[in-house]
């Protein structure tokens, strides 16, 4: 029998070795997983910030694993209802959940009792994105910088207002942290949702508001509000002329509305590891990267351990803000 040329034998050996390593890397994943539909629970109503992102990720994950990934919206109680369903689901790798700021890091300090323990009942998989907020003021307010806003608030204690989408949300907590950091007296005005608050800001009925980047951008571009600062470490690519809070004099000020992927505690570690690998790959997909950056958010990624550390640090940070402002759930 004619022997294969040395070059061909070398190539075949390399290919076989690579395939062997690939199989070996996944031998710890339970046999057959996944072999049926995966459910991704979003603890909010359809069409919002979390839902939009999770539906994109679900499509990309389905393409990678060759199985359907179905999004189920289970909104209510500030994310509590849906998050409780994630925590109580079978830990078999077929239920994933959107893990968000409020239900994981805020509600434990804000609410007297939760039907789940974010640390004990949920296992982190990956932090998907951080979404900074933009501090904007009404055009009628005679300030053009954060320093001028603080000076005006100091001269008129209790006169300036800041709106939010409701008690305990990212808009509200950012305003409270600003109040504490700047040592000013400003009045919180909660609304039932961010849209009516933003409308009143544009109309001049509110003095200021911390808004999500994607929500603030249209009114900023239309010149209907004036942006003063962003709450991220770096300036946003969609608002390059707007300084950070730190650049404007409020040191160590960071605030994000973030979301990641979590699973019920007890989900096999190899499945969590595999999901983490898949989602890290998905975050590099051009469609996903563009969707995240186009709304002023920051793709994160990383390990499950890093996401777990992040949740704990966010919980501690917002617990301090909630205590200082004596915020109570309504």
């Amino acid at each position: 029998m004619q022997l294969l040329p040395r070059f061909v034998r070398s190539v075949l050996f390399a290919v076989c070795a690579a395939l062997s390593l690939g199989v070996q890397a996944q031998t710890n994943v339970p046999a057959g997983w996944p072999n049926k539909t995966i459910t991704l629970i979003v603890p909010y109503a359809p069409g919002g910030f979390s839902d939009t992102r999770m539906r994109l990720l679900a499509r990309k994950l389905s393409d990678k694993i060759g199985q359907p990934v179905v999004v189920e919206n289970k909104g209510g109680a500030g994310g509590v209802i849906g998050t409780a369903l994630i925590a109580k689901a079978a830990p078999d790798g077929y239920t994933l959940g959107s893990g968000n700021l409020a239900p994981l890091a805020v509600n434990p300090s804000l609410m007297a009792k939760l039907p789940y323990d974010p640390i004990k009942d949920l296992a982190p998989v990956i932090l998907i994105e951080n979404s900074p907020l933009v501090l904007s003021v009404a055009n009628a307010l005679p300030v053009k910088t954060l320093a001028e806003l603080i000076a005006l608030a100091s001269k008129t204690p209790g006169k300036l207002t800041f709106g939010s989408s409701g008690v305990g949300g990212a808009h509200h907590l950012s305003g409270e942290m600003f109040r504490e950091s700047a040592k000013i007296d400003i009045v919180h005005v909660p609304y039932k949702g961010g849209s009516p608050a933003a409308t009143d800001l544009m109309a001049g009925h509110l003095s200021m508001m911390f808004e999500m980047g994607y929500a603030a951008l249209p009114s900023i571009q239309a010149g209907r509000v004036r942006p003063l600062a962003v709450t991220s470490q770096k300036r946003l690519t969609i608002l390059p002329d707007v300084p950070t809070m730190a650049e404007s004099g409020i040191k160590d000020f960071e605030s994000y509305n973030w979301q990641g992927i979590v699973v019920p505690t007890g989900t096999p570690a190899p499945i969590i590891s595999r999901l983490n690998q898949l989602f890290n790959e998905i975050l590099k997909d051009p469609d996903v990267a563009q969707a995240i950056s186009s709304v002023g958010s920051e793709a994160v990624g990383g390990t499950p351990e890093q996401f777990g550390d992040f949740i704990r640090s966010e919980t501690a940070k917002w617990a301090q803000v909630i205590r200082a402002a004596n915020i109570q759930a309504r």
Side-chain angles (χ1 to χ4, degrees):
M1 182 177 68
Q2 184 178 4
L3 294 176
L4 290 171
R6 180 180 299 175
F7 173 75
V8 175
R9 293 200 305 272
S10 299
V11 171
L12 288 174
F13 177 81
V15 170
C16 290
L19 290 173
S20 175
L21 287 174
V23 171
Q24 183 179 2
Q26 297 188 37
T27 53
N28 290 329
V29 176
W33 183 90
N35 60 11
K36 62 180 181 178
T37 298
I38 288 178
T39 299
L40 174 53
I41 296 177
V42 176
Y44 297 101
F49 165 68
S50 183
D51 178 66
T52 300
R53 184 70 65 244
M54 290 299 137
R55 288 185 183 277
L56 174 59
L57 296 179
R59 292 197 299 272
K60 297 295 183 178
L61 179 61
S62 179
D63 291 342
K64 282 187 170 291
I65 63 176
Q67 294 290 342
V69 180
V70 177
V71 173
E72 288 190 1
N73 296 91
K74 301 292 183 180
V80 170
I81 293 174
T83 303
L85 290 174
I86 301 166
K88 294 174 183 177
D92 55 8
Y94 290 97
T95 299
L96 317 180
S98 173
N100 304 75
L101 167 68
L104 297 190
V106 173
N107 290 344
S109 297
L110 192 65
M111 299 182 176
K113 187 176 181 181
L114 287 174
Y116 60 88
D117 184 314
I119 302 300
K120 294 180 180 179
D121 298 336
L122 295 165
V125 175
I126 188 170
L127 177 58
I128 295 296
E129 68 184 299
N130 280 330
S131 295
L133 290 85
V134 182
L135 172 58
S136 298
V137 297
N139 283 335
L141 209 66
V143 299
K144 294 184 178 180
T145 66
L146 189 66
E148 290 177 357
L149 175 62
I150 294 171
L152 178 61
S154 298
K155 291 178 183 178
T156 57
K159 299 296 183 181
L160 301 187
T161 57
F162 71 97
S164 80
S165 59
V167 174
H171 310 79
H172 177 205
L173 295 178
S174 298
E176 295 292 355
M177 188 159 65
F178 175 47
R179 186 214 309 257
E180 179 67 20
S181 299
K183 306 302 179 186
I184 54 178
D185 181 8
I186 53 179
V187 179
H188 174 226
V189 182
Y191 288 74
K192 292 183 178 180
S195 294
T199 298
D200 270 5
L201 178 66
M202 289 186 284
H205 303 314
L206 289 171
S207 305
M208 71 193 84
M209 182 176 173
F210 285 88
E211 289 186 88
M212 299 285 291
Y214 71 87
L217 194 59
S219 56
I220 291 172
Q221 291 175 332
R224 302 187 68 181
V225 297
R226 184 181 305 118
L228 298 187
V230 297
T231 64
S232 49
Q233 279 189 336
K234 299 178 181 180
R235 296 191 183 197
L236 304 185
T237 55
I238 60 172
L239 293 170
D241 296 328
V242 180
T244 66
M245 296 288 285
E247 287 177 313
S248 302
I250 305 295
K251 302 299 182 184
D252 301 320
F253 190 108
E254 282 188 78
S255 178
Y256 303 95
N257 192 3
W258 47 263
Q259 60 183 334
I261 299 293
V262 295
V263 292
T265 293
T267 300
I271 290 181
I272 293 177
S273 179
R274 177 62 177 150
L275 286 168
N276 176 267
Q277 176 190 0
L278 290 168
F279 280 113
N280 270 306
E281 293 172 0
I282 289 170
L283 285 175
K284 296 176 182 177
D285 183 291
D287 292 341
V288 176
Q290 171 62 22
I292 292 175
S293 64
S294 66
V295 296
S297 294
E298 306 165 345
V300 184
T303 67
E305 293 76 19
Q306 289 171 329
F307 186 24
D309 290 342
F310 178 78
I311 293 171
R312 285 185 284 272
S313 68
E314 285 284 283
T315 301
K317 178 174 75 175
W318 294 120
Q320 183 177 351
V321 172
I322 290 168
R323 285 194 302 268
N326 192 27
I327 302 171
Q328 297 179 358
R330 297 179 182 179

